[in-house]
């Protein structure tokens, strides 16, 4: 392998191909590197493990057939180039033919290192290749990185590949259990299943929670004039501390410690009685305590803390926050955003301290830089915290003309946090005043008031960290000034009143608090938190209710199955120990094949019991003293499932004989009718959270739904019974059809069919069904209304000009008219039943304002596309907003905001769409794949032969 390349732009005559991950980096990096460098993008990963069904037929039958990983032979992976990346790989190969050197400038984390390795495997370069890494896209950083090229880090590649193989094996062994015992198409994952369990456990706590009521007394007290009055709260009665929320457990009872301390538990009536008895009492100050207050600034952002603060302050979910941060990094505004290091470089320390002095004054900056200690055992993702890029930070005001919307808000947050981290502590004093009196009935009542006065704001002048919701959140006493008082000083009491309280259940996880918990338990790694949360939402295991993450009943069933039958795989400590082991592999302290062998086959390895696994290394979990997995490994988890009772696993007792079951088509209730004992059933609406499913709510659903539908009468035309019921997606009407009733067309065909075909199974009649209008209810809908609903879609008439039939229909997006392929929205649901042909023709006579006939103005103009030179605009299309240059259309991603999308992001989406090429046509017959087996991933081989030659086979 050749030595280091010369500095950027030195004109040595060599042609260098630089490959980055994202097209949005190309322009800046090309400019910074200068002549002699051609910068191209890989658009992320180009190779991956295929689905086993996508393997070539001859490979399917072999050792790769189950996982696309040969577990019997060193866990060798079988990689293929992704279908949508084949064109890009061909383009890169053509570019490489013109180059004298290949520079792999993918991201600096494990994923980036793996992408670089895969590029070498796919491109098979015959020229020297080297690795270039940088933490920010600035001229200084890029030019310095071009002079400090290195080899691909085999340890990081091993760590990433081990994670990929581990996740494939874990998911492919465990997911079939869920398919067979709960529902098809479910998935289990090494981290997603543990994250789901956290949400389920919190919801179980809320379900078991029983509120406790308690009360105290508040009042206003004046040492002199009214302007010096302050509020205080009752804290003790006859020398006994008054019970507060923290004194109760989740069953609504006083905790044993509170009982031992003899706390006084007041109800509202007792508190009101005491307040009346204190009306004319003589209050006096009993004690005054003052102590200094100080508060340190938070450390600079790492990936997880950025996601938490973006959630708390900007209302961005983790995926949105990372997408915005990615764009800021690629455009040179911030440093690399996937990191768990809280350190700042000397350059960044100087920049932050200088700006703090300039903007807030020298008194706000300590004499020496602040240094923060990382709590993460293996801060491997990068070498510096997330901060503004450059030797001199651009202030939010300086970038306000370039950044908009979420881009600006996130940059502003990162800038403030970075600068504040190098400022002085906030300082002040906290005062606590105790005052009391004797009530008219002889009881001694003591009140307390506290206040914190900030005398020097320090870092608070720039930034204050957000906080998550807590169960016993005290009123914020910051900057609550108490008047100067002395012990024994008399006070005038007023506004004495009882204040009733109810204890609160544990708050549900938000994205911010879930990320914080995962980080504290060392489950997953910061760079994966966003994808973990996205996965459990997309899989239907949790849903959003405001900012809270609410687990679904499906998550309850999946979690229970894993807890009862595979407890170690969802154990928090075990999952954390696996992360530590994988980190040990990245540090070169453990060997991946040994680790995977023991994880999959168990402590004895493959073959006969008692035989050591290949390599003879320590068991998984051995690094850093972590616990090893079960000796039996996870091989064959789905082989014997007879002991798993699918019905029991999917059952949640509600109480009084009522249970909730998770069925193939959603959750439903079962319970006996209190009067007849008959078994009743009812669907569970999605909007009802698990902790809201009380016995009373369940009985209400069983009564209103069950099989005891509300019978409306018979349809005169068919003689079938029409009923109203409430289902999973809301109230609707339907008709009851006998099980053996054939569909009308099938019945007619059967009558005229030859006898030899009479045995053929006839189609069963399907009941007509229609949702109720929004102003209807199950309790009030009439038979006449139901028959009208069941008549939908209704034929309105025929267009005399075209001869097309016009129908009125109710769709996903509301009521509409349909004539051929031309649809027009209706103003309200009532029109479905009342609109006339003349009215419909009048609607069709108007220009179409949606979907095609009258072009809508673009949502946003983005300027010219750097590749095509044509103007880019954002439009609202049939399937949502998209960006187009007139030739190429690219749908905006879920987290792209049409109002705030940047020109760079628009160009990136168009470039990605062009790179993918047209959608592949369906093939008439399966063709044999020419994918190659991956080169053996043995460290020794890579460090010798693979480095000696730049030619590497797939």
């Amino acid at each position: 392998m050749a030595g280091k390349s010369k500095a950027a732009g030195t004109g040595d005559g060599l042609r260098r191909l630089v490959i980055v991950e994202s097209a949005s980096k190309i322009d800046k990096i090309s400019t910074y590197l200068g002549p002699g460098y051609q910068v191209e993008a890989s658009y992320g990963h180009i190779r991956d493990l295929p689905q086993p069904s996508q393997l070539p037929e001859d490979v399917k039958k072999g050792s790769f057939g189950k996982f696309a990983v040969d577990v019997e032979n060193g866990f060798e992976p079988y990689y293929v180039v992704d279908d949508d990346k084949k064109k890009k790989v061909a383009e890169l190969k053509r570019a490489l033919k013109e180059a004298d050197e290949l520079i792999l400038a993918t991201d600096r984390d494990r994923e980036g290192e793996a992408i670089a390795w895969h590029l070498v495997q796919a491109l098979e370069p015959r020229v020297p290749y080297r690795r270039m890494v940088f933490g920010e896209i600035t001229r200084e950083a890029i030019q310095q990185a071009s002079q400090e090229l290195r080899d691909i880090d085999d340890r990081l590649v091993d760590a990433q590949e081990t994670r990929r193989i581990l996740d494939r094996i874990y998911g492919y062994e465990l997911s079939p259990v869920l398919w067979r015992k709960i529902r098809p198409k479910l998935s289990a994952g090494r981290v997603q299943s543990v994250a789901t369990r956290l949400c389920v456990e919190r919801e179980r706590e809320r379900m078991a929670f029983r509120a406790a009521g308690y009360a105290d007394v508040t009042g206003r007290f004046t040492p002199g004039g009214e302007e010096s009055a302050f509020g205080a709260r009752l804290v003790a009665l006859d020398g006994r501390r008054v019970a507060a929320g923290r004194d109760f457990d989740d069953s609504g009872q006083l905790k044993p410690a509170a009982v031992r301390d003899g706390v006084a538990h007041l109800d509202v009536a007792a508190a009101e009685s005491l307040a009346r008895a204190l009306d004319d009492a003589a209050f006096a100050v009993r004690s005054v305590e003052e102590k200094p207050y100080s508060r340190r600034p938070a450390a600079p952002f790492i990936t997880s803390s950025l996601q938490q603060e973006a959630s708390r302050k900007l209302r961005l979910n983790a995926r949105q926050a990372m997408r915005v941060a990615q764009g800021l990094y690629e455009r040179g505004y911030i440093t690399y955003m996937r990191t768990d290091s809280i350190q700042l470089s000397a350059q960044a320390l100087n920049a932050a301290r200088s700006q703090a002095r300039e903007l807030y004054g020298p008194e706000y900056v300590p004499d020496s830089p602040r240094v923060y200690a990382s709590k993460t055992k293996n801060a491997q993702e990068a070498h510096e915290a997330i901060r503004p890029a450059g030797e001199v930070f651009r202030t939010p005001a300086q970038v306000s003309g370039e950044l908009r919307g979420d881009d600006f808000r996130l940059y502003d947050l990162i800038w403030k946090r970075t600068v504040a981290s190098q400022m002085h502590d906030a300082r002040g004093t906290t005062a606590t005043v105790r005052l009391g009196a004797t009530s008219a009935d002889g009881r001694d009542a003591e009140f307390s008031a506290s206040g914190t006065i900030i005398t020097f704001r320090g870092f608070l002048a720039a930034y204050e960290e957000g906080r998550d919701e807590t169960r016993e959140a005290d009123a914020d006493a910051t900057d609550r000034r108490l008047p100067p008082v002395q012990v024994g000083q008399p006070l005038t009491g007023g506004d004495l009143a009882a204040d009733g309280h109810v204890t609160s259940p544990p708050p549900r996880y938000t994205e911010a608090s879930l990320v914080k918990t995962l980080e504290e338990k060392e489950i997953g790694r910061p760079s994966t938190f966003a994808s973990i949360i996205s996965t459990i939402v997309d899989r239907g295991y949790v849903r959003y209710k405001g900012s809270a993450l609410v687990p679904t009943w499906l998550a309850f069933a999946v979690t229970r199955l894993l807890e009862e039958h595979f407890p170690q795989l969802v154990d928090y400590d075990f999952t954390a120990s696996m992360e530590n082991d994988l980190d040990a592999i990245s540090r070169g302290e453990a060997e991946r094949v040994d680790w995977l062998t023991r994880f999959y086959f168990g402590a004895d390895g493959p073959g006969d019991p008692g035989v050591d696994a290949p390599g003879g290394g320590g068991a998984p979990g051995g690094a850093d003293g972590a616990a090893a997995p079960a000796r039996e490994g996870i091989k064959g988890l789905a082989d014997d499932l007879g002991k798993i009772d699918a019905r029991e696993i999917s059952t949640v007792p509600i109480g009084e004989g009522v249970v909730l079951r998770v069925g193939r088509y959603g959750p439903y209730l079962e319970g006996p009718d209190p009067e007849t004992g008959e078994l009743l059933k009812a669907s569970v609406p999605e909007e009802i959270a698990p902790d809201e499913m009380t016995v009373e709510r369940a009985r209400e659903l069983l009564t209103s739904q069950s099989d005891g539908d509300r019978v409306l009468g018979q349809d005169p035309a068919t003689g079938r019974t029409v009923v109203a019921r409430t289902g999973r997606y809301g109230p609707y009407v339907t008709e009851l059809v006998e099980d053996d009733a054939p569909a009308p067309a099938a019945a007619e065909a059967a009558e005229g069919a030859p006898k030899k075909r009479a045995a053929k199974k006839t189609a069963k009649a399907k009941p007509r069904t229609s949702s109720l209008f929004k102003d209807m209810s199950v309790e009030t809908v009439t038979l006449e209304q139901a028959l009208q609903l069941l008549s939908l879609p209704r034929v309105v008439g025929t267009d005399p000009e075209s001869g097309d039939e016009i129908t009125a229909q109710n769709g996903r997006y509301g009521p509409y008219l349909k004539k051929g392929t031309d649809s027009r929205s209706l103003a309200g649901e009532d029109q479905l039943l009342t609109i006339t042909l003349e009215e419909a023709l009048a609607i069709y006579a108007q220009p179409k304002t949606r979907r095609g006939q009258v072009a809508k103005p673009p949502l946003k103009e983005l300027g010219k596309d750097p590749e095509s030179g044509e103007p880019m605009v954002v439009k609202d299309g049939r399937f949502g907003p998209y960006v187009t240059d007139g030739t190429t259309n690219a749908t905006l991603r879920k987290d792209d905001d049409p109002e705030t999308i940047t020109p760079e992001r628009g160009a990136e989406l168009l470039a990605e769409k062009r790179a993918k090429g047209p959608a592949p046509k369906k093939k008439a017959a399966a063709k044999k794949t020419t994918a190659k087996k991956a080169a053996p991933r043995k460290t020794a081989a890579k460090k010798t032969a693979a480095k000696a030659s730049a030619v590497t086979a797939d």
Side-chain angles (χ1 to χ4, degrees):
M1 179 62 63
K4 292 183 180 179
S5 299
K6 295 183 180 180
T10 56
D12 58 7
L14 294 180
R15 295 165 299 180
R16 298 179 176 88
L17 174 63
V18 181
I19 301 179
V20 296
E21 289 184 38
S22 172
S24 61
K25 301 177 185 178
I26 292 178
D27 287 345
K28 283 186 176 293
I29 293 178
S30 296
T31 301
Y32 298 153
L33 288 176
Y37 290 86
Q38 178 184 353
V39 184
E40 298 289 344
S42 69
Y43 297 97
H45 277 280
I46 60 167
R47 301 201 316 170
D48 197 6
L49 300 173
Q51 298 292 330
S53 60
Q54 298 171 329
L55 289 168
E57 289 301 323
D58 57 330
V59 178
K60 281 183 186 177
K61 300 173 183 177
S63 54
F64 290 99
K66 185 173 183 179
F67 303 118
V69 175
D70 188 352
V71 298
E72 301 289 345
N73 295 288
F75 290 84
E76 179 186 355
Y78 188 99
Y79 291 113
V80 298
V81 175
D82 297 334
D83 287 340
D84 61 351
K85 293 298 178 68
K86 290 179 179 178
K87 180 180 177 182
K88 172 53 63 176
V89 170
E91 292 175 356
L92 293 175
K93 283 185 175 181
R94 286 194 297 271
L96 186 58
K97 288 180 180 179
E98 305 298 322
D100 300 308
E101 184 178 13
L102 172 63
I103 298 177
L104 303 158
T106 49
D107 288 346
R108 66 190 300 175
D109 57 7
R110 278 188 295 251
E111 290 295 323
E113 207 73 22
I115 291 171
W117 182 81
H118 280 288
L119 282 166
V120 171
Q121 304 301 305
L123 299 180
E124 300 177 326
R126 298 183 180 275
V127 297
Y129 60 88
R130 302 281 281 169
R131 186 85 168 88
M132 183 172 94
V133 295
F134 42 85
E136 57 185 328
I137 302 178
T138 60
R139 184 178 300 277
E140 296 77 11
I142 296 301
Q143 292 185 351
Q144 181 178 351
S146 71
Q147 299 178 58
E148 298 176 351
L149 304 181
R150 62 168 173 80
D151 291 339
I152 292 175
D153 190 328
D154 296 325
R155 297 179 304 178
L156 290 180
V157 177
D158 275 346
Q160 188 277 341
E161 185 171 85
T162 304
R163 277 177 160 81
R164 185 70 185 95
I165 293 172
L166 172 62
D167 290 339
R168 170 59 64 94
I169 291 172
Y170 187 112
Y172 275 42
E173 284 287 0
L174 211 54
S175 296
V177 181
L178 307 183
W179 303 344
R180 293 167 61 180
K181 295 299 180 179
I182 299 178
R183 185 187 297 177
K185 299 182 180 180
L186 297 179
S187 71
R190 174 173 58 92
V191 180
Q192 76 173 56
S193 297
V194 176
T196 301
R197 183 189 175 200
L198 282 168
C199 295
V200 169
E201 285 190 336
R202 179 59 55 84
E203 197 71 10
R204 287 171 178 163
E205 293 173 8
R206 292 175 63 89
M207 294 168 72
F209 175 79
R210 297 295 179 268
Y214 63 98
D216 52 28
V217 178
T218 60
R220 289 183 63 77
F221 302 91
T222 308
E226 180 59 32
E227 66 278 0
S228 61
F230 62 94
R233 185 177 298 276
L234 178 72
V235 293
L237 187 62
D238 289 331
R240 299 165 60 197
R241 181 169 62 83
V242 173
R246 62 181 178 275
D247 295 311
F248 297 89
D249 59 25
D250 284 353
S251 67
Q253 304 299 314
L254 283 171
K255 295 177 180 177
V259 175
R260 287 195 305 271
D261 294 343
V263 299
H265 181 192
L266 302 182
D267 57 20
V268 174
E272 288 175 343
S273 173
L274 177 62
R276 289 192 295 269
L278 288 170
D279 271 342
D280 299 320
F283 288 91
V285 177
R286 293 182 175 179
S287 67
V288 179
E289 179 185 0
E290 285 193 3
K291 56 184 179 181
Y293 166 87
S294 67
R295 182 176 168 190
R296 289 173 55 86
F301 280 131
I302 61 175
T303 304
S304 58
S305 57
L306 178 64
Q307 291 170 0
Q308 293 172 54
E309 279 293 84
S311 174
R312 297 182 190 118
K313 294 195 170 192
L314 308 183
R315 300 302 182 205
L316 297 177
N317 63 39
R319 181 162 50 184
Q320 291 170 329
M322 293 309 293
R323 179 180 292 280
V324 175
Q326 177 93 27
L328 291 174
Y329 162 67
E330 291 176 350
R331 286 177 283 153
Y333 287 99
I334 64 171
T335 54
Y336 192 56
M337 67 288 156
R338 281 189 282 274
T339 175
D340 40 21
S341 170
I342 56 176
Q343 302 301 316
L344 292 176
S345 66
Q347 166 186 297
L349 290 172
N350 290 333
R353 289 166 57 80
S354 296
Q355 284 200 333
R357 286 193 200 96
E358 293 171 5
L359 296 174
Y360 303 104
E363 68 275 14
Y364 281 83
V365 182
D367 293 335
S368 58
R370 286 186 178 272
V371 178
Y372 295 88
S374 175
K375 298 179 182 179
T376 305
K377 290 183 180 179
N378 192 58
Q380 59 81 38
E381 296 288 5
H383 305 293
E384 193 174 2
I386 304 169
R387 61 167 176 84
E391 295 181 352
V392 177
F393 299 161
R394 285 174 286 181
T395 65
Q398 290 172 327
V399 301
S400 61
E402 306 168 21
L403 299 177
R404 293 287 187 274
D406 291 338
D407 289 344
F408 177 79
R409 295 196 300 151
L410 192 67
Y411 181 85
D412 180 66
L413 195 69
I414 293 169
W415 181 87
K416 288 178 177 177
R417 176 88 163 218
T418 306
V419 172
S421 72
Q422 292 303 311
M423 295 173 68
H424 265 305
D425 292 355
R427 296 190 297 271
T429 58
T430 297
T432 301
V433 175
R434 291 270 183 153
L435 55 107
T438 301
S439 66
D441 53 8
R443 290 180 287 175
D444 181 77
E446 187 168 276
F447 290 69
S448 177
S450 296
T452 297
I453 304 301
I454 302 297
T455 56
F456 176 70
R457 290 186 59 76
F459 76 92
L460 291 176
Y463 177 84
E464 183 171 5
E465 188 175 25
R467 301 178 185 179
D468 293 317
E469 177 188 359
T470 59
R471 297 181 68 175
E472 308 298 339
D474 295 327
D476 189 3
T478 301
D479 278 342
R480 177 187 177 191
R481 187 177 297 273
L482 296 178
V485 292
Q486 297 178 347
V487 175
Q489 181 175 347
L491 301 170
T492 302
D495 297 335
L496 293 163
D499 192 5
H501 308 276
V502 177
T503 54
S504 303
R508 290 191 179 98
Y509 285 110
T510 61
E511 286 205 4
S513 59
L514 182 58
V515 165
K516 183 178 180 181
T517 301
L518 290 171
E519 184 178 33
E520 289 173 346
K521 292 182 177 292
E522 297 185 352
I523 294 168
R525 283 296 175 257
S527 60
T528 65
F529 291 155
S531 62
I532 291 167
I533 295 174
S534 297
T535 297
I536 62 177
V537 172
D538 295 342
R539 295 284 189 271
Y541 294 144
V542 301
R543 63 179 178 86
Y544 290 102
K545 187 174 184 180
S547 61
L549 297 172
V550 183
T552 62
W553 291 110
L554 177 62
F556 274 70
V558 169
T559 299
R560 181 179 175 187
L561 185 151
L562 297 177
E563 286 176 334
E564 294 185 4
H565 297 280
F566 312 103
Q568 193 165 21
L569 296 183
V570 288
D571 179 77
Y572 302 135
D573 292 336
F574 174 66
T575 305
S577 76
M578 283 197 292
E579 290 292 349
N580 292 332
D581 294 339
L582 293 168
D583 288 342
I585 292 172
S586 73
R587 297 191 299 267
E589 298 169 5
E591 207 284 316
R592 74 178 189 92
V593 174
D594 291 348
W595 195 93
L596 287 169
T597 298
R598 282 162 174 77
F599 180 83
Y600 185 64
F601 291 106
D604 295 323
D608 297 332
V611 179
D612 286 339
D624 297 329
R631 289 180 60 85
E632 65 270 25
I634 68 167
K635 181 177 184 294
L637 282 179
D639 292 348
D640 181 15
L641 304 180
K643 62 181 180 179
I644 301 178
D645 185 336
R647 184 176 177 83
E648 179 62 23
I649 283 292
S650 298
T651 300
V652 181
I654 302 299
E656 297 181 10
V658 179
V659 297
L660 183 143
R661 302 193 193 280
V662 180
R664 183 176 292 263
Y665 303 107
Y668 64 95
L669 294 164
E670 278 187 354
D673 187 311
E675 298 179 0
T676 66
E678 177 188 0
L679 184 65
L680 304 178
K681 294 184 180 181
S683 298
V684 178
E686 287 185 327
E687 65 270 14
I688 300 179
D691 73 328
E692 298 169 358
M693 185 56 71
T694 61
V695 174
E696 294 74 18
R697 189 69 181 274
R699 289 286 184 199
E700 178 185 334
L701 290 171
L702 287 170
T703 301
S704 62
Q705 295 183 45
S706 71
D707 282 339
D709 305 314
R710 180 168 173 254
V711 178
L712 303 179
Q714 287 188 326
D715 182 348
T718 63
R720 293 173 181 164
T721 300
V722 178
V723 299
R725 59 174 62 153
T726 302
R728 184 182 181 190
Y729 301 106
Y732 65 99
V733 291
T734 187
E735 57 185 1
L736 303 182
V737 179
E738 297 79 5
D739 290 340
D740 57 352
E748 293 172 7
E751 289 178 6
K755 289 186 177 180
K756 63 180 180 180
R757 298 179 60 189
K760 185 176 180 179
K761 188 175 181 181
T762 58
K764 291 184 178 180
K766 293 183 178 180
R768 293 177 297 162
T769 299
S770 180
S771 297
L772 298 189
F773 288 173
K774 293 178 181 178
D775 58 353
M776 298 178 180
S777 68
V778 170
E779 294 76 21
T780 60
V781 65
T782 65
L783 176 61
E784 181 183 4
Q785 291 174 320
L787 293 176
Q788 287 179 317
L789 292 173
L790 293 175
S791 71
L792 297 175
R794 180 175 71 90
V795 177
V796 178
T798 302
D799 185 336
E801 293 185 5
S802 66
D804 292 331
E805 190 175 72
I806 301 176
T807 58
Q809 307 186 30
N810 212 356
R812 180 180 180 185
Y813 302 106
Y816 66 99
L817 293 173
K818 186 174 179 64
K819 182 180 70 169
T821 58
D822 190 358
S823 300
R824 303 295 178 96
S825 297
L826 292 174
E829 290 175 317
D830 289 344
Q831 286 185 283
L832 290 170
L833 306 175
T834 61
I835 192 168
T836 65
L837 177 59
E838 290 73 20
E839 292 170 334
L841 292 174
I843 291 175
Y844 275 104
Q846 300 297 319
K848 188 171 184 178
T849 57
R850 297 188 62 185
R851 297 181 183 173
Q853 290 192 357
V854 175
K856 294 193 300 184
L859 301 178
K860 187 174 184 180
E861 297 180 355
L862 301 178
K864 289 188 176 182
D865 178 54
E867 183 167 336
S868 68
E870 298 298 324
M872 298 182 295
V873 295
V874 180
K875 293 187 175 183
D876 189 10
R878 180 180 180 185
F879 301 105
Y882 66 97
V883 61
T884 180
D885 65 348
T887 303
T888 304
N889 299 335
T891 303
L892 268 60
R893 305 293 192 267
K894 181 178 180 182
D895 299 324
D896 289 324
D897 187 340
E899 296 182 1
T900 61
I901 187 172
T902 62
E904 292 82 2
R905 177 60 178 162
E908 180 182 5
L909 290 171
L910 290 174
E912 289 179 359
K913 181 69 173 180
R914 293 189 193 101
K916 290 181 180 180
K921 296 181 179 180
K922 293 183 179 180
K923 299 178 181 178
K927 295 178 74 174
K928 188 171 181 179
T929 306
T930 57
K932 301 177 182 179
K933 289 170 61 175
R937 293 282 295 106
K938 295 182 180 178
T939 304
K942 285 187 296 181
K943 291 187 177 179
T944 55
K947 293 302 177 194
S949 171
V951 182
T952 313
D954 267 353

